[in-house]
Amino acid sequence: MGYNAKFQSEETDKLFEAILRLENVEECYRFFEDLCTIKEIQSLSQRFQVACLLEENKTYSEIEKITGASTATISRINKCLLYGAEGYKLILEKMK
């Protein structure tokens, strides 16, 4: 593996390999519904929506109104976009 995450482990590798085998949105819903709580899925979705909106140059205030995310959450995600592992940037670019 070219990237060495701080939380990398054999178990995490297996989880990510399982996720990569999902073939469509329905399979994702089914797997994540079993794997996560609804609140966890909603939190992940909200974080990704915040990243998308930051990439569109929305203001913190606009993002807070649209997503309901706290300014602390928005700031943390912005920090990841600027100085993180570039995971958000990678997927946002792939989704263009």
Side-chain angles (χ1 to χ4, degrees):
M1 184 169 154
Y3 180 75
N4 190 13
K6 297 172 190 151
F7 58 91
Q8 186 175 353
S9 69
E10 186 176 329
E11 294 79 13
T12 306
D13 285 352
K14 286 181 183 178
L15 171 64
F16 291 161
E17 287 168 10
I19 291 168
L20 288 170
R21 285 178 173 73
L22 297 169
E23 294 183 13
N24 54 51
V25 173
E26 181 183 341
E27 287 185 3
C28 288
Y29 271 102
R30 295 172 77 136
F31 180 67
F32 280 91
E33 186 172 339
D34 285 349
L35 182 66
C36 302
T37 66
I38 291 171
K39 183 66 179 161
E40 288 168 332
I41 294 168
Q42 290 170 335
S43 293
L44 292 170
S45 298
Q46 181 189 61
R47 289 178 199 154
F48 186 64
Q49 184 182 20
V50 167
C52 292
L53 294 169
L54 284 167
E55 197 66 10
E56 293 173 10
N57 295 314
K58 300 284 187 198
T59 66
Y60 279 31
S61 162
E62 291 172 311
I63 295 169
E64 191 175 15
K65 286 178 188 170
I66 294 167
T67 66
S70 69
T71 54
T73 296
I74 298 166
S75 178
R76 183 171 50 81
I77 294 166
N78 192 47
K79 183 179 175 185
C80 288
L81 282 168
L82 296 172
Y83 310 109
E86 297 188 358
Y88 282 124
K89 287 182 181 182
L90 176 73
I91 198 63
L92 291 169
E93 189 62 36
K94 286 182 179 233
M95 293 185 76
K96 285 184 180 176

PDB file of all heavy atoms in Angstrom, residues 37-47:
ATOM      1  N   THR A  37     -24.624   2.602  12.619  1.00  0.00           N
ATOM      2  CA  THR A  37     -25.909   3.115  13.071  1.00  0.00           C
ATOM      3  C   THR A  37     -26.390   4.140  12.050  1.00  0.00           C
ATOM      4  O   THR A  37     -25.577   4.677  11.269  1.00  0.00           O
ATOM      5  CB  THR A  37     -25.806   3.804  14.443  1.00  0.00           C
ATOM      6  OG1 THR A  37     -24.995   4.976  14.310  1.00  0.00           O
ATOM      7  CG2 THR A  37     -25.220   2.876  15.498  1.00  0.00           C
ATOM      8  N   ILE A  38     -27.669   4.419  12.063  1.00  0.00           N
ATOM      9  CA  ILE A  38     -28.212   5.433  11.158  1.00  0.00           C
ATOM     10  C   ILE A  38     -27.536   6.775  11.425  1.00  0.00           C
ATOM     11  O   ILE A  38     -27.185   7.499  10.492  1.00  0.00           O
ATOM     12  CB  ILE A  38     -29.743   5.520  11.289  1.00  0.00           C
ATOM     13  CG1 ILE A  38     -30.363   4.238  10.732  1.00  0.00           C
ATOM     14  CG2 ILE A  38     -30.292   6.742  10.570  1.00  0.00           C
ATOM     15  CD1 ILE A  38     -31.844   4.082  10.987  1.00  0.00           C
ATOM     16  N   LYS A  39     -27.305   7.094  12.677  1.00  0.00           N
ATOM     17  CA  LYS A  39     -26.656   8.360  13.039  1.00  0.00           C
ATOM     18  C   LYS A  39     -25.240   8.435  12.466  1.00  0.00           C
ATOM     19  O   LYS A  39     -24.813   9.486  11.980  1.00  0.00           O
ATOM     20  CB  LYS A  39     -26.641   8.538  14.570  1.00  0.00           C
ATOM     21  CG  LYS A  39     -26.067   9.845  15.034  1.00  0.00           C
ATOM     22  CD  LYS A  39     -26.923  11.001  14.602  1.00  0.00           C
ATOM     23  CE  LYS A  39     -26.338  12.303  15.108  1.00  0.00           C
ATOM     24  NZ  LYS A  39     -26.842  13.458  14.390  1.00  0.00           N
ATOM     25  N   GLU A  40     -24.502   7.334  12.508  1.00  0.00           N
ATOM     26  CA  GLU A  40     -23.147   7.324  11.949  1.00  0.00           C
ATOM     27  C   GLU A  40     -23.182   7.573  10.441  1.00  0.00           C
ATOM     28  O   GLU A  40     -22.369   8.344   9.917  1.00  0.00           O
ATOM     29  CB  GLU A  40     -22.461   5.986  12.241  1.00  0.00           C
ATOM     30  CG  GLU A  40     -22.077   5.808  13.696  1.00  0.00           C
ATOM     31  CD  GLU A  40     -21.656   4.394  14.048  1.00  0.00           C
ATOM     32  OE1 GLU A  40     -22.113   3.430  13.394  1.00  0.00           O
ATOM     33  OE2 GLU A  40     -20.869   4.257  15.007  1.00  0.00           O
ATOM     34  N   ILE A  41     -24.118   6.939   9.759  1.00  0.00           N
ATOM     35  CA  ILE A  41     -24.250   7.134   8.314  1.00  0.00           C
ATOM     36  C   ILE A  41     -24.626   8.586   8.021  1.00  0.00           C
ATOM     37  O   ILE A  41     -24.080   9.210   7.109  1.00  0.00           O
ATOM     38  CB  ILE A  41     -25.276   6.157   7.710  1.00  0.00           C
ATOM     39  CG1 ILE A  41     -24.766   4.722   7.841  1.00  0.00           C
ATOM     40  CG2 ILE A  41     -25.560   6.495   6.248  1.00  0.00           C
ATOM     41  CD1 ILE A  41     -25.804   3.664   7.551  1.00  0.00           C
ATOM     42  N   GLN A  42     -25.552   9.138   8.799  1.00  0.00           N
ATOM     43  CA  GLN A  42     -25.955  10.527   8.609  1.00  0.00           C
ATOM     44  C   GLN A  42     -24.780  11.473   8.850  1.00  0.00           C
ATOM     45  O   GLN A  42     -24.606  12.450   8.116  1.00  0.00           O
ATOM     46  CB  GLN A  42     -27.128  10.877   9.525  1.00  0.00           C
ATOM     47  CG  GLN A  42     -28.419  10.203   9.110  1.00  0.00           C
ATOM     48  CD  GLN A  42     -29.526  10.347  10.148  1.00  0.00           C
ATOM     49  OE1 GLN A  42     -29.271  10.524  11.336  1.00  0.00           O
ATOM     50  NE2 GLN A  42     -30.760  10.246   9.684  1.00  0.00           N
ATOM     51  N   SER A  43     -23.963  11.184   9.847  1.00  0.00           N
ATOM     52  CA  SER A  43     -22.791  12.022  10.137  1.00  0.00           C
ATOM     53  C   SER A  43     -21.779  11.969   8.995  1.00  0.00           C
ATOM     54  O   SER A  43     -21.233  13.000   8.589  1.00  0.00           O
ATOM     55  CB  SER A  43     -22.113  11.580  11.437  1.00  0.00           C
ATOM     56  OG  SER A  43     -22.939  11.841  12.533  1.00  0.00           O
ATOM     57  N   LEU A  44     -21.528  10.771   8.474  1.00  0.00           N
ATOM     58  CA  LEU A  44     -20.606  10.635   7.341  1.00  0.00           C
ATOM     59  C   LEU A  44     -21.139  11.386   6.125  1.00  0.00           C
ATOM     60  O   LEU A  44     -20.388  12.085   5.435  1.00  0.00           O
ATOM     61  CB  LEU A  44     -20.399   9.159   6.999  1.00  0.00           C
ATOM     62  CG  LEU A  44     -19.645   8.320   8.022  1.00  0.00           C
ATOM     63  CD1 LEU A  44     -19.728   6.843   7.668  1.00  0.00           C
ATOM     64  CD2 LEU A  44     -18.201   8.773   8.136  1.00  0.00           C
ATOM     65  N   SER A  45     -22.434  11.238   5.873  1.00  0.00           N
ATOM     66  CA  SER A  45     -23.059  11.920   4.731  1.00  0.00           C
ATOM     67  C   SER A  45     -22.959  13.433   4.887  1.00  0.00           C
ATOM     68  O   SER A  45     -22.673  14.150   3.921  1.00  0.00           O
ATOM     69  CB  SER A  45     -24.533  11.519   4.606  1.00  0.00           C
ATOM     70  OG  SER A  45     -24.650  10.146   4.364  1.00  0.00           O
ATOM     71  N   GLN A  46     -23.199  13.919   6.097  1.00  0.00           N
ATOM     72  CA  GLN A  46     -23.124  15.352   6.359  1.00  0.00           C
ATOM     73  C   GLN A  46     -21.701  15.866   6.126  1.00  0.00           C
ATOM     74  O   GLN A  46     -21.503  16.907   5.502  1.00  0.00           O
ATOM     75  CB  GLN A  46     -23.561  15.662   7.791  1.00  0.00           C
ATOM     76  CG  GLN A  46     -23.536  17.135   8.126  1.00  0.00           C
ATOM     77  CD  GLN A  46     -23.767  17.394   9.596  1.00  0.00           C
ATOM     78  OE1 GLN A  46     -22.981  16.942  10.427  1.00  0.00           O
ATOM     79  NE2 GLN A  46     -24.848  18.094   9.908  1.00  0.00           N
ATOM     80  N   ARG A  47     -20.701  15.128   6.602  1.00  0.00           N
ATOM     81  CA  ARG A  47     -19.314  15.552   6.416  1.00  0.00           C
ATOM     82  C   ARG A  47     -18.965  15.634   4.936  1.00  0.00           C
ATOM     83  O   ARG A  47     -18.297  16.571   4.503  1.00  0.00           O
ATOM     84  CB  ARG A  47     -18.360  14.583   7.121  1.00  0.00           C
ATOM     85  CG  ARG A  47     -18.421  14.676   8.611  1.00  0.00           C
ATOM     86  CD  ARG A  47     -17.507  13.663   9.246  1.00  0.00           C
ATOM     87  NE  ARG A  47     -17.896  13.468  10.628  1.00  0.00           N
ATOM     88  CZ  ARG A  47     -17.676  12.371  11.315  1.00  0.00           C
ATOM     89  NH1 ARG A  47     -17.063  11.348  10.763  1.00  0.00           N
ATOM     90  NH2 ARG A  47     -18.078  12.283  12.564  1.00  0.00           N
TER      91      ARG A  47
END
